[in-house]
Amino acid sequence: MSGGFVESVQHKAQEVAKEDYEKARVLINDAAKSGSYLYPVKGIFYFFAHRALWKPLLSRLTSTLTLSAVVVGSMFAFTYLPQLALMVFVNGPLAVLTTVLLVLNESSVIISIISKNFMLQDAMLDTFDGTLVSRNATGILSEGRQLKSSGDSIQRLGKVLKSPFSRFSPKALVRYVMYLPLNFIPVVGTVAFILLNGRARGNSVHDRYFQLKRWSNAQKSNWLQEHKGPYAAFGTVATLLEMIPIASILFSFTNTVGAALWAADIEAKDTEMTRGTAPGLREAAENAE
């Protein structure tokens, strides 16, 4: 009887593992086909090639660099050794590296919370909207912002007609703390921690775009559910870039540019995602317009 029970459990475990593997394979395949993981990189090149997009960042450069230096320096000074002492027991020699990644990720979250809520919200909004202007996606942008007839992509931005990006939610912070213990699992745990935070990051990159589309919460949820792989891939690459000390703020802006470029391509139906969108969802999206 016990043998039959063990076999039943093993069979169920194999089924679950097979299902999870298949889901992961589909997500990875969707992400690869969409090319979404390239947009954070595209954002870097596009940002540096369009000087007008530098203006929002330059206007807050001193304060954001100071914030990054203070946060990263303080985190390494006060939390690295205590966390290393704990990580050594589970990660062994690799603890030196995994603890660095952990502290960088923690610093990134703190910098993100402070800067995006109190220092950079308007600048991020201008960067996203300015990128849409530079890509001639003014049709959708006019739904949420007045546009001037002349000037560069930033100078053309007028009064905001719709409230900007949502602020950092307590749910995001709770989720981060919940995932934090994963770092005590050697290598795999740290990778899982980054991937999980990347998935959450990806789900928020098009908040402004969905707002401009006037999509309901149901429409947003359907779209994100339909394209989990692409958004998780974008969010993971964006998270890794924003974990780089001092440069994290710069990459926050380039990631915003990348998200806007992606939105412009979706709007122009020039991505694998829109070519493969389910008819029902595409109809809902078009009705929202």
Side-chain angles (χ1 to χ4, degrees), residues 66-288:
T66 301
L67 171 66
S68 297
V70 169
V71 170
V72 173
S74 298
M75 288 295 291
F76 272 99
F78 297 109
T79 71
Y80 178 76
L81 289 179
Q83 292 186 94
L84 177 62
L86 292 173
M87 298 287 277
V88 152
F89 288 105
V90 290
N91 288 357
L94 290 175
V96 174
L97 175 60
T98 56
T99 306
V100 168
L101 292 175
L102 177 59
V103 173
L104 289 177
N105 202 292
E106 292 167 344
S107 300
S108 175
V109 170
I110 294 172
I111 294 168
S112 178
I113 294 173
I114 296 175
S115 63
K116 292 180 181 178
N117 281 286
F118 304 106
M119 299 168 61
L120 300 178
Q121 195 175 47
D122 292 340
M124 291 288 192
L125 180 68
D126 288 347
T127 301
F128 190 96
D129 291 356
T131 303
L132 291 180
V133 171
S134 71
R135 284 292 306 273
N136 295 317
T138 53
I140 185 172
L141 184 56
S142 62
E143 294 291 329
R145 190 159 197 164
Q146 292 179 351
L147 294 174
K148 301 172 185 177
S149 59
S150 62
D152 60 37
S153 56
I154 298 299
Q155 291 171 338
R156 290 189 61 192
L157 299 177
K159 180 181 178 182
V160 176
L161 302 178
K162 289 185 179 180
S163 58
F165 302 113
S166 58
R167 292 184 179 274
F168 186 87
S169 67
K171 185 185 295 185
L173 181 59
V174 171
R175 183 184 295 111
Y176 175 84
V177 173
M178 285 175 57
Y179 294 156
L180 201 58
L182 286 172
N183 289 280
F184 290 102
I185 303 174
V187 184
V188 175
T190 301
V191 172
F193 177 75
I194 293 172
L195 291 176
L196 288 169
N197 278 283
R199 185 180 65 177
R201 174 81 168 85
N203 285 340
S204 66
V205 298
H206 276 164
D207 283 351
R208 174 62 170 170
Y209 176 55
F210 298 150
Q211 180 189 60
L212 294 172
K213 294 286 285 183
R214 297 182 179 179
W215 279 7
S216 65
N217 288 333
Q219 287 172 312
K220 289 187 290 186
S221 296
N222 286 340
W223 176 264
L224 291 172
Q225 181 66 24
E226 183 76 14
H227 303 292
K228 288 188 294 186
Y231 279 96
F234 182 102
T236 299
V237 176
T239 297
L240 286 171
L241 288 173
E242 292 178 16
M243 286 174 61
I244 299 175
I246 307 301
S248 61
I249 294 296
L250 169 63
F251 287 125
S252 293
F253 279 86
T254 61
N255 286 334
T256 300
V257 172
L261 293 174
W262 189 16
D265 285 344
I266 292 174
E267 192 64 14
K269 294 181 173 59
D270 189 27
T271 69
E272 184 67 30
M273 288 167 58
T274 46
R275 287 193 288 273
T277 299
L281 183 57
R282 178 175 292 163
E283 181 181 349
E286 291 174 350
N287 288 338

Side-chain angles (χ1 to χ4, degrees), residues 35-45 233-235 237-238 241 254-255 258-259:
S36 62
Y37 57 91
L38 295 174
Y39 280 96
V41 179
K42 290 180 179 179
I44 296 172
F45 287 101
F234 182 102
V237 176
L241 288 173
T254 61
N255 286 334

